[in-house]
Amino acid sequence: MRTFCRFQLVYTVDRYVMVFQCFPTLQISKDEKFIFCTCGTRVNVLQIVTGKIVHSIEQDDQEDITSFALSLDDEILVTASKALLLKQWDWKQAQCTRSWRAIHNVPIASMTFDPTATLLATGGCDGTIKLWDVVKQYCTHNLKGSSGVVHLVEFHPDISLLQLFSSASDCGIRMWDLRSSQCLCVLQSHYSPVTSLAFTPDGASMVSSGRDKICIVWDLKSRTARRTVPVYESVVLLPEDEDFSEVGVKTKEIHFITAGSKGICVLRVWDASSARCVFTQTLPSPPSYGDPRSLTYCLPLPSSLRLATVTAEHNILLYQLPSFTTQQQFVGFNDEVLDVKFLGKGDTHIVVATNSSQLKVFDLATSSCKILYGHTDTVLSLDVFKKGSLFVSCAKDKSVRVWRQDPDSGQVSCVAQGCSHANAVGSITCSRMKESFVVSGSQDCTIKVWDLPETIPETDGDMFQLTSRVTEKAHDKDVNSVAVSPNDKLLVSGSQDRLAKLWSLGAPGADLALLGVFRGHRRGVWCVQFSPMDQVLASSSADGSVKLWSLQDFSCLKVGEGCGSDGLVKLWTIKTNECVKTLDAHQDKVWGLHATRKDDRVVTASADSNITVWTDVTEVEQAEEQAKQEDQILKKQELSNLLHEKKYLKALGLAISLDQPHTVLKVIKGIGEDGAKQLEKTVLKLRQDQKESMLRYCAVWNTNARSCLDAQAVIQVMLTHLSPEELLQYQGARAHLEGLIPYTERHMQRIGRLLQASMFLDYMWQKMRVTGAPAR
């Protein structure tokens, strides 16, 4: 994969569209600004407004996290891992503040905090429940009696009752009295594991849901089941003080929302008193059994009157109540990303093809995602028309599709479809000047040209059926890549047969005409692109090379070696044929690469499931460097003025701030000209951080005979007026002092030899005077 762009040298990561996943559950902070979810050995903290992972709290033992809990005041996060360790975190700083053994003999399956955030309950796979005082840091209870894995623990909202509810593999709901550590009763009505518990505001009733497709309303005073409602798994109670009349809520009785798996993709509102469904959510397309939109979990956001749901594909959807409209959607897992393109008038979105039949359109400002359904097999390639609102896709289902994004609402609709290839369509490209045609390349070895109607439908209700005006048997093996020239007159194709071919598109209605063949690659050609400025073609191959070809005589102009599947993105300058920059942000093969129309940003997508947006900061860094140089010139002039005015303290402080040892040495020499007392007075007035820098400089100066005397003069001042304890508090003092010793010994030996030589000269001079004295 390659692209031509304006030559720039410095790119920095603008943002990541990363995998955060969300299984088996998630939690939302009390202020409803953050979503907490597990991903292997990490707990990712997702900011709802921006969609960015702002914190990633990772186990240092690299063991998977089995459960976690966030206190109701959002202050404490506790995680449990397969290593049977509990860790308490200051999640805002991503720092572990405490860790202790869980005492459980097997991993912890569930945990929760009480309303006061002082008690933590943990349910183990060994059937035991333990309660911990997180303030005084000890285990307060050890509750036994459950059978199998304790997968659900919940405190009663009225903390004065000191009651805990739990459910295990035996499908019963146990009510525990924490004063006596006894099980008060077992609520038996479910026939499969209980998945969620929800309490009414007054604490008198509770609603439980299970995998047996029923919800049960319990009277907690009589400890009996009041009503059984045949629904699905997860349950959330509707707030009693809000108006939900538009979704069929007519009475003040208990109403709840359900969401479940088993192919159920919709949310439903139920009247608990009559066991009747009063509202069913409407989806854009009918749900089917095993639909990836199946809901597995839901969680209320009471302050903003929203509902969070998790799908079978680990996507998080936020619904606004009571309208049940989708407000935001975050994708938890992308699988292998096969292609990516910028989308929208201002390149505000990206459209992504992953290892699935769905397309994903991300808003880069919020990371909110819209999932597009239409293809029935894996989407392999994408391309976008010049204006940015119309784009095309092709897939293994042998079809090509044209999509339109509404510039105002951001909604995307499939407006055209073509299905006449005999095998998977692996590459697609569109016209560059006008929205007039699409070209596709397939594993059936053919290239097809599809003409678009002059008036393209606005919505999928008027979908246009495309027919190919040209079908050409182009290669002997799979067509891996196709590209259209900037003037829409030429087409190039790259194939698994190691060849790239240049075609003339000709006038509308005309057949393709072969103009030439580019030979030279030793393996299949995976991508071809036209230069936007020169009559040059670029091709890349599985042989690890990038070749530039002349469109005039089809000769190879340059060869770039070193491309591979190591996840690196390399920036080459064509003039010198050198790799001048390597961008490292991926752990696996980079399949997608695209630049904005202004060439100020680049997006890359990889088999590691991550998408990275890079911003060109060349001009910014050049401006910063120029400003830095100008500042250095001004400071050097100021330094010269200070020395001339004999303002030694300011001069030395300014020289140290420049962090230039040679400049500081010049200042020291200048101060030394006024005598040792002036040097001593100036050095002692420096701040501690400035003295630390001076000590570091002295270790460097002392290695040179020309500057060792100045270094020794400064060291003498420090050793004379600073105690050893005080000196050792300086950063790196021990290493600097140890570095001074061998060179100081060498200087002493040199001075000793010089002194001996000088004494010999003095002796010789005295003898010469005696010998040459006149006789008396």
Side-chain angles (χ1 to χ4, degrees), residues 688 691 721-730 733:
Q688 179 176 327
K691 291 177 182 176
H721 295 277
L722 298 176
S723 66
E725 293 78 11
E726 186 179 359
L727 196 59
L728 288 174
Q729 294 298 319
Y730 288 5

Side-chain angles (χ1 to χ4, degrees), residues 192-416:
S192 289
V194 177
T195 56
S196 65
L197 299 176
F199 297 89
T200 56
D202 59 6
S205 301
M206 178 182 73
V207 180
S208 63
S209 63
R211 293 178 184 170
D212 50 8
K213 302 182 182 181
I214 61 172
C215 282
I216 301 174
V217 182
W218 302 90
D219 186 329
L220 295 182
K221 292 182 179 179
S222 63
R223 302 171 187 172
T224 57
R226 289 170 45 191
R227 175 73 66 178
T228 299
V229 184
V231 292
Y232 297 92
E233 287 185 19
S234 193
V235 60
V236 168
L237 290 177
L238 280 179
E240 294 181 352
D241 54 351
E242 298 290 342
D243 181 15
F244 287 93
S245 57
E246 66 178 278
V247 292
V249 177
K250 306 298 184 184
T251 66
K252 293 296 183 180
E253 296 293 331
I254 298 174
H255 289 75
F256 55 87
I257 304 170
T258 59
S261 58
K262 307 293 185 183
I264 302 304
C265 312
V266 297
L267 297 168
R268 305 176 194 270
V269 179
W270 298 82
D271 185 341
S273 60
S274 63
R276 184 172 61 90
C277 178
V278 297
F279 172 80
T280 301
Q281 181 190 23
T282 303
L283 294 179
S285 58
S288 59
Y289 184 82
D291 196 303
R293 294 172 292 178
S294 298
L295 304 176
T296 61
Y297 186 72
C298 60
L299 196 67
L301 285 75
S303 299
S304 56
L305 205 59
R306 290 183 293 175
L307 181 73
T309 64
V310 180
T311 71
E313 291 193 331
H314 309 300
N315 299 333
I316 301 175
L317 289 90
L318 297 181
Y319 293 99
Q320 187 65 55
L321 301 178
S323 60
F324 284 88
T325 54
T326 304
Q327 189 183 62
Q328 285 177 279
Q329 181 170 206
F330 302 112
V331 174
F333 184 62
N334 282 321
D335 203 352
E336 188 171 354
V337 184
L338 302 180
D339 204 358
V340 62
K341 291 289 187 292
F342 280 104
L343 182 65
K345 186 176 181 180
D347 296 319
T348 55
H349 295 68
I350 55 173
V351 56
V352 179
T354 61
N355 193 21
S356 73
S357 60
Q358 302 125 33
L359 289 171
K360 295 169 183 175
V361 177
F362 290 90
D363 185 338
L364 290 176
T366 64
S367 291
S368 184
C369 177
K370 291 181 174 62
I371 298 180
L372 310 181
Y373 298 88
H375 286 290
T376 58
D377 207 339
T378 303
V379 179
L380 298 175
S381 184
L382 303 165
D383 201 11
V384 181
F385 284 92
K386 185 177 181 180
K387 293 183 179 179
S389 60
L390 204 67
F391 65 97
V392 292
S393 62
C394 62
K396 286 184 178 180
D397 60 7
K398 309 174 188 178
S399 72
V400 299
R401 285 178 177 261
V402 182
W403 309 78
R404 179 187 292 279
Q405 183 189 43
D406 186 280
D408 299 321
S409 66
Q411 295 296 323
V412 180
S413 303
C414 182
V415 295

Side-chain angles (χ1 to χ4, degrees), residues 24-43:
T25 185
L26 60 85
Q27 283 192 249
I28 297 175
S29 60
K30 186 179 180 180
D31 58 12
E32 299 180 2
K33 294 181 179 179
F34 303 99
I35 296 175
F36 294 75
C37 48
T38 56
C39 180
T41 61
R42 306 189 306 273
V43 174

Side-chain angles (χ1 to χ4, degrees), residues 528-540:
V528 287
Q529 286 288 341
F530 285 99
S531 167
M533 295 170 288
D534 301 317
Q535 293 189 7
V536 174
L537 172 77
S539 64
S540 66

